[in-house]
Amino acid sequence: MGTVSAIRFSASERPAELGCPNCGFTAWCLPAGLTSHESKQFNDRVEHRRPLKRGEHLHNAGSAQTSLYVINSGFLKTSLVDGDGREQVTGFPMTGDLIGMEAIDSGKYLCTRIALEDSRLCGMRFADFEDLGHTIPALQHHFHRVMGAEIARDHGIMLLLGAMRAEERVATFLLSLSRRFSARGYSGTHFRLPMTRQDIGSYLGLQIETVSRVLSRFSYNELIAIDVKDIEIKSLSRLQQIIGDPETRRSATRRTRSETD
Amino acid sequence: MGTVSAIRFSASERPAELGCPNCGFTAWCLPAGLTSHESKQFNDRVEHRRPLKRGEHLHNAGSAQTSLYVINSGFLKTSLVDGDGREQVTGFPMTGDLIGMEAIDSGKYLCTRIALEDSRLCGMRFADFEDLGHTIPALQHHFHRVMGAEIARDHGIMLLLGAMRAEERVATFLLSLSRRFSARGYSGTHFRLPMTRQDIGSYLGLQIETVSRVLSRFSYNELIAIDVKDIEIKSLSRLQQIIGDPETRRSATRRTRSETD
DNA sequence: CGTAGGTTTGAATTGGGTCAATACAGGTGG
DNA sequence: CCACCTGTATTGACCCAATTCAAACCTACG
């Protein structure tokens, strides 16, 4: 469960033509549209990491090293623990996501990151990353967009936590996962929830019993089919309607199918 | 109430030796430690803005121009409005704060920003800002730290919204305002709340009645003295104890002074 | 195959929301 | 100057969505 350490290959150890095979950063850089020369520069700074096993911590809150990571494959959870031992899950980063940006200001990670399933990731020291940005404007710009997107995402979660009812929160969560799986080429309607009900509850500001009950209700009303962690979304549109519609809210809340009864 | 437009002075219109008098950006740059030459480069790109009157919108959600702003003086509120007209206040930026970063990704502001009191701000087009970053590494680094700090702040609010009870939220809010006023040289124990109860409620995920009741209770228990918007914090430490302490929570919740009754 | 952690479901409880009435402050115009 | 009005704040009474408490029930893995 300890923090894993980075493995840095020297140029000689790693065949140059291989680059970083299936490197998360390489994929992450694609939208930036780097030239092959820039791409090589970039690749040389990447710290390749051994895989994280399920349950392993990438780092804990307060630890001092400041690298950014891109998830190559897998699923993590990001959580804060406040002074009183209360946990708040702030995100579930998956393949292609950049993580660790909250550490830039203080030089310490402020949250703990744990693998929800066996994962692989690539890291880069933030100082190196910033250096590259100075010589590769496209990279810099891409980085700024990703940080801006993270801030926008966080604002969306504030809306969820501050203004939505339990069913809306769960529906929003499922739709968000659906979109993220779709964007990565997986099915957006049939997938496995890699996190526990506890994790979902913490993320959504709900108790586990509430999460469980809402999922059961959605299942009863045939919006989804669910077998513990295996979920199939049967109607994206009806799930979407749950959010913000007081009418739909009422009919889906009670244990009543929309037509019958 | 409409969006104000930027005024850009040409070099000839604006006396070079004046720079930007009391420019928010100049102050914002201080921690970056720019040389005077860099500072001048920077200053030349700042778009000076006319003051915002109380109630005026800096911009609305969806508007396309993407500048970053530093608040020179004053107080704003940042809020999202979702499809169903629900408002979520995501922050109360004040003097020295950098705002607008959520627009970098999509090129559109995702939230509305309104002046809570007469304010002045300086803006800079994001593209200009990024250009300067390429030639001034210290500026770039400072910007990254500020963005990272914003992400960290947002995570803290998620903890507040997802895991705290009403009294803890209000106590956290008051302490955060106290710290921010202190950091700017104002009193950290006696200040004016520039926002309405409605705004506070939206920010904290509570109804206005709840906000009002919690403040009344704090006042009854002599943690604070409050006259509508004028607030005096009588015990920072007891306010701090509210957060996360179930014992204190109970005794402060009921209308009972800690000793008497 | 046993057990610890995770999940579901029911019943009782409650913190905060909703509804309603009143109070109050700051304009505004006569 | 006062009378009026509008938006904001406070307070009380009641209610309900979500939590808490409790009891099975899985199911994964050592």
Side-chain angles (χ1 to χ4, degrees):
Chain A
M1 284 286 171
T3 301
V4 295
S5 53
I7 312 172
R8 180 137 192 197
F9 296 92
S10 72
S12 60
E13 285 171 317
R14 185 161 46 85
E17 73 279 12
L18 200 69
C20 176
N22 303 316
C23 173
F25 265 110
T26 306
W28 183 82
C29 284
L30 275 184
L34 304 192
T35 66
S36 66
H37 173 67
E38 287 169 343
S39 210
K40 167 136 194 1
Q41 276 188 287
F42 190 84
N43 239 287
D44 290 344
R45 307 275 197 115
V46 173
E47 295 178 1
H48 301 277
R49 289 201 151 240
R50 76 164 80 95
L52 272 186
K53 282 242 178 304
R54 185 157 77 88
E56 254 183 316
H57 290 223
L58 173 62
H59 53 69
N60 293 307
S63 72
Q65 204 217 356
T66 51
S67 292
L68 300 177
Y69 300 95
V70 170
I71 301 173
N72 201 318
S73 68
F75 229 111
L76 312 199
K77 85 167 171 183
T78 303
S79 59
L80 293 169
V81 182
D82 83 350
D84 322 295
R86 246 180 319 212
E87 183 190 37
Q88 174 69 31
V89 173
T90 58
F92 296 107
M94 64 187 290
T95 310
D97 289 333
L98 182 74
I99 57 182
M101 295 172 281
E102 90 287 351
I104 295 172
D105 183 41
S106 65
K108 289 180 182 176
Y109 297 110
L110 301 179
C111 43
T112 297
R113 293 194 169 88
I114 306 177
L116 293 174
E117 52 185 48
D118 295 354
S119 306
R120 283 174 302 135
L121 15 124
C122 295
M124 186 181 288
R125 294 202 53 92
F126 180 63
D128 286 350
F129 193 87
E130 217 170 30
D131 275 352
L132 284 169
H134 295 137
T135 52
I136 313 175
L139 176 69
Q140 193 68 268
H141 183 64
H142 183 54
F143 177 53
H144 292 158
R145 287 188 59 164
V146 168
M147 284 198 106
E150 171 68 19
I151 291 171
R153 185 192 78 90
D154 292 347
H155 286 188
I157 298 174
M158 286 185 221
L159 176 71
L160 179 145
L161 290 171
M164 290 187 182
R165 329 182 126 261
E167 295 205 339
E168 300 181 277
R169 296 187 198 191
V170 175
T172 304
F173 174 68
L174 294 178
L175 288 171
S176 148
L177 275 183
S178 167
R179 241 180 292 109
R180 296 172 74 205
F181 278 115
S182 290
R184 285 159 180 80
Y186 302 110
S187 167
T189 54
H190 192 176
F191 47 86
R192 209 184 106 84
L193 301 171
M195 66 294 281
T196 66
R197 299 287 189 269
Q198 178 65 61
D199 295 332
I200 299 175
S202 171
Y203 182 64
L204 299 179
L206 300 171
Q207 294 308 115
I208 59 174
E209 295 95 329
T210 306
V211 173
S212 182
R213 274 186 257 267
V214 170
L215 288 173
S216 298
R217 235 176 284 153
F218 284 175
S219 173
Y220 181 86
N221 290 310
E222 296 175 332
L223 300 176
I224 64 173
I226 189 163
D227 174 25
V228 193
K229 291 190 192 290
D230 183 68
I231 188 169
E232 186 189 344
I233 298 181
K234 292 203 162 170
S235 172
L236 288 166
S237 61
R238 285 177 62 210
L239 216 41
Q240 184 62 58
Q241 281 169 20
I242 295 273
I243 302 162
D245 181 13
E247 286 305 318
T248 312
R249 193 183 299 153
R250 205 173 313 120
S251 64
T253 296
R254 317 298 168 197
R255 280 225 150 194
T256 6
R257 288 191 176 78
S258 17
E259 324 288 271
T260 64
D261 188 331
Chain B
M1 286 283 173
T3 300
V4 295
S5 54
I7 314 169
R8 179 141 193 192
F9 296 92
S10 73
S12 61
E13 285 170 318
R14 183 161 49 85
E17 74 278 11
L18 200 66
C20 176
N22 302 318
C23 174
F25 266 109
T26 305
W28 182 82
C29 284
L30 276 184
L34 304 192
T35 66
S36 66
H37 173 66
E38 288 168 343
S39 209
K40 167 139 193 0
Q41 275 188 289
F42 189 85
N43 239 289
D44 289 345
R45 307 274 195 117
V46 173
E47 295 178 0
H48 300 276
R49 290 200 149 241
R50 76 165 79 93
L52 272 186
K53 282 242 179 302
R54 186 158 77 88
E56 251 182 319
H57 289 224
L58 173 62
H59 53 69
N60 292 308
S63 73
Q65 205 216 357
T66 51
S67 292
L68 299 177
Y69 299 94
V70 169
I71 301 173
N72 202 318
S73 68
F75 231 110
L76 311 200
K77 86 168 170 184
T78 303
S79 58
L80 293 168
V81 183
D82 83 350
D84 322 294
R86 246 182 316 215
E87 183 190 38
Q88 172 69 33
V89 172
T90 59
F92 297 107
M94 65 188 287
T95 310
D97 290 332
L98 181 74
I99 56 182
M101 296 171 280
E102 90 286 351
I104 296 173
D105 183 41
S106 64
K108 289 180 182 175
Y109 296 108
L110 301 180
C111 45
T112 297
R113 292 195 169 86
I114 306 177
L116 293 175
E117 52 185 49
D118 295 354
S119 306
R120 284 173 302 135
L121 14 127
C122 295
M124 186 182 288
R125 296 203 52 93
F126 180 64
D128 286 350
F129 193 87
E130 217 169 32
D131 276 352
L132 285 168
H134 295 139
T135 53
I136 312 175
L139 176 67
Q140 192 67 268
H141 183 67
H142 183 55
F143 177 53
H144 293 159
R145 288 189 58 164
V146 169
M147 283 196 108
E150 172 68 19
I151 291 171
R153 186 191 78 91
D154 292 347
H155 286 187
I157 298 173
M158 286 183 221
L159 176 71
L160 179 145
L161 291 171
M164 288 186 183
R165 330 184 124 263
E167 294 204 341
E168 300 181 277
R169 296 187 197 191
V170 175
T172 304
F173 174 69
L174 294 178
L175 288 171
S176 148
L177 275 182
S178 167
R179 241 179 293 110
R180 297 172 74 204
F181 278 115
S182 290
R184 284 157 180 82
Y186 302 110
S187 167
T189 54
H190 193 177
F191 47 87
R192 211 184 104 86
L193 300 171
M195 67 294 282
T196 66
R197 298 287 188 266
Q198 178 67 60
D199 294 333
I200 299 174
S202 170
Y203 182 64
L204 299 179
L206 300 171
Q207 294 307 116
I208 59 174
E209 293 95 329
T210 304
V211 173
S212 182
R213 273 188 258 267
V214 170
L215 288 174
S216 297
R217 234 176 285 154
F218 284 174
S219 174
Y220 181 84
N221 290 310
E222 296 174 334
L223 300 177
I224 64 173
I226 190 163
D227 174 27
V228 193
K229 292 189 193 288
D230 183 67
I231 187 168
E232 186 189 344
I233 298 180
K234 294 203 162 172
S235 172
L236 287 167
S237 60
R238 285 178 64 209
L239 216 41
Q240 185 62 57
Q241 281 168 22
I242 296 272
I243 301 163
D245 181 12
E247 286 306 317
T248 312
R249 191 184 298 153
R250 204 171 314 120
S251 64
T253 297
R254 317 298 168 196
R255 280 225 151 194
T256 5
R257 286 189 177 80
S258 17
E259 325 288 276
T260 64
D261 189 330

